[in-house]
Amino acid sequence: MVAQEFTVDLNKPLVFQVGHLGESYQEWVHKPIVSKEGPRFFESDFWEFLTRTRWYAVPVIWLPVVCWCISMSVRMGHSALEIGLLVSMGIFVWTFLEYSLHRFVFHIKTDSYWWNTVHYLIHGCHHKHPMDGLRLVFPPAGTAVLCIPFWNLVKLFSTPSTTPALFGGGLLGYVIYDCTHYYLHHGQPSNKVPQNLKKYHLNHHFRVQDKGFGITSALWDRIFGTLPQSKLAEKKR
């Protein structure tokens, strides 16, 4: 089989190589290379450009959208208290999405050429090169595309006047998530809470990659039993 004989050449664009690993892909992608220098994905400079995003692009682009969404609900007559509750609910729902996407989509097991390729693009590259600072946050073009189905989903479960604030809260949760994720990889926290969160996330990358799917908190890992064993042991002491 090609998968048994194929070796990835790290000096060449990776995206259309990794699919050839077949069943060996999962083992390969979960052996991280710790370097701030990211690999090249594509031969094309245009497609390569689209894969690289500065972390600050996320708040710069999406916080104005958050404010605009919230202002829509304000103009439709909701009080400050109601807006606060709606935004908080949106953030809370995002934390569940954050956990669910990370666990069930980003860590799906693949072994065919195209599924390996897709997985590498959406998350595998991050596990292979976890310190690549230009591929730690989601590209704005991808976020914009995903906003459409998420907006329509929120509309199904809310009223016309509450939809914007709920969606804005969820989008704010995403911004917090992506900025937190970048900080956990490249920041040097001095306080205990972010220090523990950084340790928790890096443990997911370098020790127990099938546990610890929360980024901004371990809440859903606790609820669904995916806390790393070391955390469970600490809790029992």
Side-chain angles (χ1 to χ4, degrees):
M1 289 177 64
V2 174
Q4 298 299 320
E5 301 172 357
F6 188 80
T7 301
V8 172
D9 186 345
L10 296 173
N11 295 313
K12 296 179 180 179
L14 295 185
V15 168
F16 294 121
Q17 291 191 69
V18 299
H20 292 300
L21 288 167
E23 294 179 356
S24 302
Y25 168 75
Q26 290 295 324
E27 181 182 0
W28 176 85
V29 83
H30 289 106
K31 291 181 177 177
I33 297 173
V34 183
S35 171
K36 290 185 179 180
E37 295 296 323
R40 188 171 181 91
F41 274 18
F42 297 101
E43 288 280 2
S44 164
D45 289 337
F46 172 74
W47 291 109
E48 184 71 8
F49 170 76
L50 291 181
T51 69
R52 297 172 179 265
T53 307
R54 299 284 180 181
W55 73 268
Y56 50 77
V58 172
V60 167
I61 292 172
W62 296 114
L63 285 181
V65 178
V66 169
C67 293
W68 179 72
C69 288
I70 293 172
S71 71
M72 288 176 64
S73 289
V74 171
R75 291 196 300 271
M76 285 187 273
H78 286 282
S79 67
L81 177 60
E82 291 170 335
I83 293 295
L85 289 173
L86 289 167
V87 171
S88 298
M89 188 181 301
I91 293 173
F92 181 73
V93 171
W94 166 260
T95 65
F96 178 71
L97 282 174
E98 168 194 313
Y99 172 87
S100 300
L101 288 170
H102 193 188
R103 180 179 178 183
F104 298 110
V105 178
F106 295 169
H107 279 268
I108 191 172
K109 305 297 182 185
T110 62
D111 57 18
S112 66
Y113 178 84
W114 285 111
W115 280 118
N116 285 350
T117 303
V118 169
H119 180 268
Y120 183 78
L121 278 169
I122 63 173
H123 195 63
C125 58
H126 178 52
H127 270 264
K128 190 63 183 179
H129 293 85
M131 302 309 292
D132 182 353
L134 293 177
R135 294 193 178 98
L136 263 171
V137 297
F138 204 63
T143 305
V145 170
L146 291 174
C147 277
I148 297 171
F150 279 118
W151 172 272
N152 289 320
L153 185 62
V154 173
K155 281 176 65 176
L156 289 176
F157 298 99
S158 56
T159 66
S161 65
T162 59
T163 293
L166 276 171
F167 179 82
L171 190 58
L172 178 58
Y174 158 72
V175 172
I176 293 169
Y177 149 79
D178 240 355
C179 292
T180 300
H181 189 203
Y182 185 90
Y183 182 71
L184 295 182
H185 280 267
H186 291 284
Q188 298 298 328
S190 56
N191 297 323
K192 188 174 182 180
V193 172
Q195 283 177 344
N196 287 340
L197 204 56
K198 181 181 177 80
K199 182 180 178 181
Y200 185 69
H201 184 59
L202 295 186
N203 182 63
H204 167 75
H205 274 282
F206 297 105
R207 293 183 61 200
V208 190
Q209 296 183 353
D210 61 346
K211 303 284 184 182
F213 299 106
I215 307 297
T216 54
S217 81
L219 171 65
W220 298 105
D221 284 307
R222 287 191 168 89
I223 291 173
F224 292 112
T226 51
L227 276 175
Q229 288 300 314
S230 58
K231 273 285 182 185
L232 292 172
E234 288 173 13
K235 191 176 179 181
K236 289 177 181 177
R237 283 192 213 129

